[in-house]
Every structure is written in C-alpha cells, then in structure tokens.
Amino acid sequence: MKKKLSVLLALIIAITGVIFTGCGKTQETEDKSLETIKEKGEIIVGLDDSFPPMGFRDEAGEIVGFDIDLAKEAGKRMGVNVVFKPVDWDGIILSLKNKEIDVIWNGLTITDERKEQIGFTAPYLSNSQIIIVQTGSQYNAKADFEGKIVGIQLGSTAQAALDNNADFAGKLSEVKKYSNNVEALLDLKAGRVDAVVMDAVVGRYYISSNNAGDTYRVLEEDLGKESYGVGVRQEDKAFLAELDKVLSEMKEDGTAAEISKKWFGEDIVK
C-alpha cells in the first residue's frame, strides 16, 4: 500500500510540475523583436515622403533625406535591408501598432502623449516649432496674430505647440490643417493663411533649398523646443536596445555628424 501511495504521490508531483511549467511559459512572452527583424532581413520604415530634409522624394522620385541616410546606415550595421514605406502621417502610429511598419523614422517628436502609445530611442536631434510668415507681412511677434489664420500639418506636433501656447492659439480665428507642410506653405504664399507653424529644421531647409527667402520669413519667437527620436512598438524592447546601441555608435564614430553636415551644413546631431 505504501509503495502504491509513493508512486501515486510522485505521479501527482510530476503532473503538477508540468502544469506549472506550462503556465509559466504561457505567462512569460519572450521578446523576439530583434530576432524577427534579423530573420526577415529588413526594417520597414514608415514615413511622410514630403518632409524635407528628413525624408522626401528627389527629382528622380527617389526617397532621400537626413533620416533616410541615418536609417540606411543603421540597417547596414545591423545586417538588414531598410525598406521605406510612405504612410499617412495622421495614422502612422496606428500603422506601427498594426505591424504594417517596424519603425517611425521621420522627424518624429518625442512627446508624453506619444510615449504612452509607443517606445522611443534616445533623442538624436533637437528642434523647435517656428512661425513662418510672408516676408512682406506686418507680423513680428506672437501677439500680432489675433483674429488671424494659421496653418499646420495634420498629425504633427505643431498642434501640441499650439495647445502649449494658449495665449497665442486662443486669439486665432482659425487653424487650418494640411496633409503636409508643403501644402501649408503654398497656401501661405497665396495668402490663404497668415502664418504656418512647423518644425524648424524642416521650415528653414525648405526656405533655403527653394531660394524662398524673398517669400518667407521666420519670426524670432518660437512655440517651444523639442527632440526627435525613432518610434518603435512598446513591446519591441530587444529591437529598441539594438537600435539605440547602433545610433550611439554612429554618434561616437562621427558617421551621424557627417550625415548631418551633408543635409544641414553643420553637425546638429544631439
């Protein structure tokens, strides 16, 4: 009888161990995000392809830009290809969550609201939200825009900048939203809006590269400072760690600085 009870007890213990081991495996999901990227051999980068100098199409229709060069170099160091996928900016975070893309790498500002939805690399570029007006306009300060119309890109942090400058935004008669900054600037040139709020690196590059200094002017006052980071899914911690490591190496060995000088004429990498 004792022998039978010992065998039965051992069997119960063995079965219980298997059950608990199985439960443990179910509850603990291993992070294979980096392994997945390496296995498929590519990183799909989501971007707005009309966002110079971060990512845009050149005269030949090729996607080029500062972030494009950074991403290509990062992919090379990770041993994978980089595929660029234009996505509607207003829905780009949803595209990332739905795994249509692997990263958002396109002048993406790090904000508390976005950090609740996605993960970010360490900041790699500093930026600000500037106010652009027509060169010959009478506007010189934020206080001059009472009852005026301001344009911004839909889904951009220009909206957050307006929210954080209630005294300025509250006096506006209208905020017009555009699918991209170029459309907003063209409407400013045509006089359909009185100003455009947008990223400094993008606005200043557009004015410089289009020889538009006679058309547009940037006010001395801005609507706040910010930083750019690469956006990833919150659960992709292994992939994020590798991306941070690669970006750090690119800063340390001067590669990021060289890419910056190519697009901005100086090293502005953070």
Side-chain angles (χ1 to χ4, degrees):
M1 179 63 72
K2 287 182 180 179
K3 187 175 181 180
K4 289 182 178 179
L5 286 173
S6 297
V7 173
L8 181 60
L9 181 60
L11 184 60
I12 292 172
I13 291 171
I15 293 172
T16 303
V18 171
I19 291 172
F20 277 108
T21 301
C23 289
K25 286 182 179 178
T26 302
Q27 292 171 354
E28 295 178 10
T29 303
E30 187 180 354
D31 179 6
K32 295 186 177 181
S33 54
L34 179 58
E35 185 180 330
T36 299
I37 289 291
K38 295 256 178 131
E39 283 180 353
K40 74 175 182 176
E42 66 181 22
I43 301 171
I44 301 176
V45 174
L47 78 160
D48 168 9
D49 63 353
S50 58
F51 195 55
M54 312 312 287
F56 63 104
R57 293 188 183 275
D58 62 14
E59 294 179 357
E62 296 294 320
I63 297 178
V64 297
F66 172 72
D67 276 337
I68 305 306
D69 287 351
L70 275 185
K72 284 180 177 179
E73 179 63 23
K76 178 181 176 182
R77 296 186 183 212
M78 293 172 67
V80 296
N81 294 321
V82 179
V83 177
F84 298 98
K85 182 176 181 179
V87 178
D88 178 46
W89 191 255
D90 193 38
I92 200 165
I93 289 180
L94 184 60
S95 294
L96 179 64
K97 287 184 171 183
N98 289 342
K99 299 187 176 182
E100 297 167 15
I101 56 178
D102 298 311
V103 298
I104 305 172
W105 201 331
N106 191 213
L108 182 66
T109 300
I110 301 171
T111 67
D112 290 338
E113 181 182 359
R114 284 173 175 167
K115 283 164 75 173
E116 292 178 0
Q117 303 179 70
I118 62 176
F120 280 96
T121 62
Y124 65 89
L125 204 66
S126 295
N127 187 41
S128 62
Q129 289 292 322
I130 57 174
I131 304 170
I132 302 177
V133 298
Q134 285 189 14
T135 297
S137 71
Q138 74 275 25
Y139 310 117
N140 294 299
K142 292 187 284 187
D144 298 335
F145 288 91
E146 184 171 357
K148 305 304 178 182
I149 303 172
V150 167
I152 64 172
Q153 181 182 7
L154 189 67
S156 72
T157 49
Q159 181 62 63
L162 292 178
D163 293 341
N164 292 330
N165 288 266
D167 289 343
F168 172 75
K171 295 176 182 177
L172 301 175
S173 66
E174 183 184 355
V175 176
K176 292 188 69 174
K177 297 180 180 180
Y178 298 85
S179 61
N180 59 67
N181 286 309
V182 175
E183 289 181 4
L185 287 170
L186 290 175
D187 256 14
L188 173 60
K189 182 179 180 180
R192 286 186 280 270
V193 296
D194 299 294
V196 173
V197 174
M198 63 189 296
D199 295 55
V201 294
V202 177
R204 292 184 185 281
Y205 177 83
Y206 181 88
I207 293 171
S208 174
S209 62
N210 288 279
N211 297 314
D214 293 336
T215 303
Y216 303 109
R217 175 168 54 91
V218 179
L219 299 192
E220 289 187 11
E221 288 187 285
D222 62 46
L223 296 183
K225 309 299 181 186
E226 55 192 35
S227 297
Y228 285 161
V230 182
V232 302
R233 285 180 286 275
Q234 287 181 331
E235 64 270 23
D236 290 355
K237 299 187 185 303
F239 175 45
L240 174 60
E242 181 69 12
L243 200 51
D244 261 329
K245 175 176 170 288
V246 168
L247 284 172
S248 180
E249 290 172 352
M250 290 166 62
K251 293 176 188 177
E252 290 173 4
D253 66 22
T255 303
E258 287 303 311
I259 295 173
S260 177
K261 289 173 185 175
K262 171 184 173 181
W263 291 102
F264 301 109
E266 58 182 316
D267 179 14
I268 64 170
V269 173
K270 188 172 181 176

